[in-house]
Amino acid sequence: MDSNNAKSQLAEEFRVIKRPLVNNIQGAENNGINRSNLILICSSLPGEGKTFVSINLALSIANERDKSVLLIDADVEKPGVAKQLGIDNSRGLIEYLEDDRVTFSDILLKTDLPNLSIITAGKRHKYSTELLSSQRMYLFAEEVSRRYKDRIVIFDSPPLLVATQAQILAELVGQVVLVIAAEVTPQSVVNESVSKLSNCDVVMTLLNKTRKEIDIYGHNYSYGKYGHF
Ligand SMILES: Nc1ncnc2c1ncn2[C@@H]1O[C@H](COP(=O)(O)OP(=O)(O)OP(=O)(O)O)[C@@H](O)[C@H]1O
Ligand SMILES: [Mg+2]
């Protein structure tokens, strides 16, 4: 497969991933999902592809111009979004959470794509777990969900089984995507993650396979496979 074919295949894969998430947002009022436009991308363990999926899903939605996207790096321990996209990480979610004077627009970064904006994780903080479980974070999620009803908000997160932060974040969002490294992550580990997410309205699983490598913005990427419970 040449690079163009691989790219269009990747685009198609992410279109498939996107569809049920968007459908859930559209049907949210009927099926009672709160904050359905907030989507957390998590996984059990490090390196399963959360940041890869977060970025590609955001780009997929933004490129098709059907919706606006806000990509938030909520992996405040090991931020990957700013690094991958080559943007400044000096002021982000952490700065907003620790200082009432920092406003939403202070941390919102515009990109070359008119309907993609980004909030980076910001600097590392000793009490980042407390900040993520604070009332200010809850109000932030509420506000972002309500004020930007038409916007899809994607949160990249830390691994579920390594720290408590992802589980805290999962309570704030309407939909969770659990990325699973195919043929790597044992079933027992996946089960443990699923039980940690039992309070969430919607949990989709995404089997991430790295079958073919392609190149987008300078990194080697392949595509994921989608499935759900
Ligand atoms: N489908 C894929 N095809 C090709 N490469 C992939 C794919 N998924 C992930 N990768 C690569 O695997 C590595 C780990 O992925 P990524 O950083 O997205 O994982 P993560 O879950 O965010 O890890 P961490 O827990 O450390 O933040 C990266 O180099 C990424 O580019
Ligand atoms: Mg990551």
Side-chain angles (χ1 to χ4, degrees):
M1 191 177 350
D2 69 23
S3 153
N4 275 343
N5 272 343
K7 270 183 200 167
S8 66
Q9 181 142 12
L10 181 84
E12 179 51 29
E13 292 278 341
F14 275 91
R15 238 172 261 136
V16 172
I17 292 165
K18 182 173 69 177
R19 216 168 288 138
L21 296 167
V22 172
N23 287 345
N24 283 337
I25 296 172
Q26 275 150 6
E29 267 175 34
N30 296 332
N31 51 31
I33 308 171
N34 285 326
R35 298 188 286 277
S36 62
N37 58 334
L38 306 191
I39 301 171
L40 182 76
I41 312 296
C42 70
S43 71
S44 311
L45 304 170
E48 295 197 73
K50 297 175 291 296
T51 303
F52 174 86
V53 169
S54 300
I55 291 175
N56 281 291
L57 184 59
L59 288 175
S60 164
I61 298 166
N63 273 323
E64 286 181 21
R65 306 204 177 153
D66 44 5
K67 289 249 176 225
S68 287
V69 198
L70 169 58
L71 172 60
I72 300 180
D73 192 348
D75 188 350
V76 293
E77 294 298 319
K78 207 171 136 196
V81 172
K83 209 184 292 169
Q84 296 258 8
L85 298 179
I87 52 179
D88 179 28
N89 184 36
S90 58
R91 191 145 82 152
L93 185 60
I94 285 294
E95 285 68 25
Y96 175 87
L97 294 176
E98 71 166 351
D99 185 348
D100 287 355
R101 289 164 305 179
V102 176
T103 65
F104 181 76
S105 53
D106 288 337
I107 56 167
L108 190 72
L109 300 174
K110 299 255 178 294
T111 71
D112 291 344
L113 291 173
N115 41 1
L116 174 66
S117 24
I118 293 178
I119 292 178
T120 65
K123 294 200 199 71
R124 291 200 60 180
H125 195 288
K126 218 161 89 184
Y127 298 111
S128 55
T129 305
E130 286 77 2
L131 289 173
L132 288 178
S133 47
S134 65
Q135 178 73 358
R136 188 157 160 84
M137 181 66 196
Y138 173 78
L139 293 174
F140 171 82
E142 267 289 306
E143 169 92 8
V144 162
S145 174
R146 211 160 359 100
R147 183 149 38 133
Y148 302 102
K149 260 198 169 5
D150 297 334
R151 192 182 297 196
I152 297 182
V153 185
I154 296 171
F155 292 84
D156 188 10
S157 79
L160 262 171
L161 304 187
V162 174
T164 52
Q165 295 172 346
Q167 207 175 344
I168 293 166
L169 291 162
E171 309 271 316
L172 297 176
V173 301
Q175 306 194 63
V176 176
V177 174
L178 178 64
V179 178
I180 301 165
E183 288 152 34
V184 175
T185 310
Q187 183 68 45
S188 58
V189 167
V190 175
N191 291 348
E192 200 180 332
S193 293
V194 169
S195 70
K196 283 188 187 290
L197 298 170
S198 58
N199 287 336
C200 304
D201 286 336
V202 177
V203 179
M204 303 285 209
T205 58
L206 192 159
L207 206 51
N208 188 26
K209 290 198 174 188
T210 54
R211 279 175 290 170
K212 277 264 179 289
E213 292 205 330
I214 63 159
D215 194 63
I216 17 173
Y217 42 82
H219 298 273
N220 284 326
Y221 285 130
S222 177
Y223 52 89
K225 257 262 171 277
Y226 194 63
H228 60 89
F229 294 115

